[in-house]
Amino acid sequence: MDSCQSVERELERLAKKYNNLGEHTDSSLTELIYQIVTIQEDLLKASKDGEVPPLQLHLLNQSCRKIKDTVSKVATEHKELHGGISKIGKAIDRNFVVDNTTCSQPGVFDGENATLLNEVICEHLLRQGRLEISEQMTKEANLQLNDSRKEPFTELNRILEACRERNLDPALQWAQARHEELRLRGSSLEFRLQKLKFLDLLKEGRHKDALVYSRNFAQFASDHTKGTKTNLFLVSHSLTSESSWICM
């Protein structure tokens, strides 16, 4: 028990550092995006004759330096995470003695143990998306894996495949169906998925759709106040920019 707690403490430290890094990176990138968009608008307004005013050129150079500094800092902080991962490995090695002698004992995976081993291999194949191979092994090993055990892996791979195609809807549906469970666990998964969907709408220039979609963030206002305000600012800023272009 003490061994597990020792490893768990290292995991908690790493998780805390990871969350802090994520929030800091998100905040830094949001600030940079705002600065760049602001400079872009100023340049469009000021450089009618094709020349960049000295003041805008100075601000642009400052922003470039800040972007380089931010990227460098994020890379350095990311490298520091590897130190925490290394500590977890050392904690496991220190607290658990690896005994490989059973691997060489004849018959250790005979009978019921052979069935358990094959089930573990099948579940691993399902987890990796190798559905056809897993199905074939289930038949050849005469395993009794019911659909309730296969469905979570099938659904997971369906969601991952959709995400690879930049379709977040299946992942969002999964998270929304487990909204309360995720909230109780302190997970920000649903909020992050909603944010990605929202940013995709802005990227596609669908500003009015993004404004309507931003209503989904109301339910996260208490837990993600800063992120919600940032999202509302982005859609407000985009709508203002669109109106300016129309007026021009």
Side-chain angles (χ1 to χ4, degrees), residues 23-248:
E23 292 175 1
H24 178 260
T25 301
D26 189 45
S27 175
S28 299
L29 293 178
T30 300
E31 183 180 352
L32 287 175
I33 290 171
Y34 169 70
Q35 288 184 352
I36 292 170
V37 170
T38 302
I39 292 174
Q40 183 183 29
E41 291 179 351
D42 291 341
L43 288 173
L44 290 173
K45 294 176 182 177
S47 59
K48 295 180 180 179
D49 56 355
E51 295 183 0
V52 180
L55 177 60
Q56 300 301 329
L57 186 60
H58 175 68
L59 292 175
L60 185 60
N61 289 331
Q62 279 188 332
S63 296
C64 289
R65 285 195 294 270
K66 188 170 184 179
I67 290 171
K68 290 180 180 179
D69 292 341
T70 300
V71 171
S72 177
K73 188 174 182 180
V74 169
T76 301
E77 291 175 342
H78 182 266
K79 288 180 181 178
E80 292 177 357
L81 288 178
H82 292 282
I85 296 174
S86 177
K87 288 182 180 179
I88 293 175
K90 291 178 181 178
I92 293 174
D93 293 338
R94 185 170 59 251
N95 290 282
F96 295 93
V97 178
V98 180
D99 183 10
N100 295 321
T101 57
T102 56
C103 296
S104 61
Q105 292 180 4
V108 70
F109 291 121
D110 289 346
E112 185 179 350
N113 288 340
T115 302
L116 291 174
L117 176 62
N118 288 330
E119 287 182 358
V120 169
I121 294 173
C122 279
E123 289 189 354
H124 172 72
L125 292 171
L126 287 170
R127 193 177 293 109
Q128 296 298 316
R130 307 294 183 86
L131 305 181
E132 293 182 1
I133 299 176
S134 175
E135 189 67 28
Q136 185 62 31
M137 183 174 180
T138 300
K139 294 179 181 178
E140 293 182 2
N142 295 319
L143 300 178
Q144 301 298 322
L145 292 179
N146 54 42
D147 293 338
S148 62
R149 293 181 64 180
K150 297 178 182 179
E151 179 57 31
F153 301 110
T154 303
E155 184 179 20
L156 172 64
N157 284 283
R158 179 176 60 84
I159 291 173
L160 290 175
E161 187 62 32
C163 288
R164 292 189 187 101
E165 297 174 358
R166 303 187 66 82
N167 178 13
L168 296 175
D169 290 339
L172 271 170
Q173 291 170 5
W174 184 92
Q176 289 169 342
R178 294 159 179 80
H179 172 81
E180 190 63 21
E181 180 182 347
L182 292 172
R183 187 187 67 80
L184 292 174
R185 294 179 60 181
S187 173
S188 61
L189 175 63
E190 184 182 358
F191 174 76
R192 291 180 179 276
L193 288 171
Q194 296 278 18
K195 183 176 180 180
L196 286 173
K197 181 72 174 180
F198 170 77
L199 291 175
D200 277 346
L201 291 174
L202 287 179
K203 186 177 180 181
E204 294 170 4
R206 298 163 59 186
H207 300 148
K208 292 183 179 179
D209 290 339
L211 179 61
V212 174
Y213 193 84
S214 66
R215 296 171 185 169
N216 291 313
F217 295 117
Q219 59 186 319
F220 304 107
S222 59
D223 296 326
H224 302 279
T225 305
K226 187 175 180 180
T228 301
K229 288 182 178 179
T230 300
N231 295 336
L232 293 177
F233 165 78
L234 288 173
V235 72
S236 175
H237 187 76
S238 299
L239 288 171
T240 303
S241 301
E242 184 179 26
S243 299
S244 299
W245 277 104
I246 293 173
C247 291
M248 292 174 65

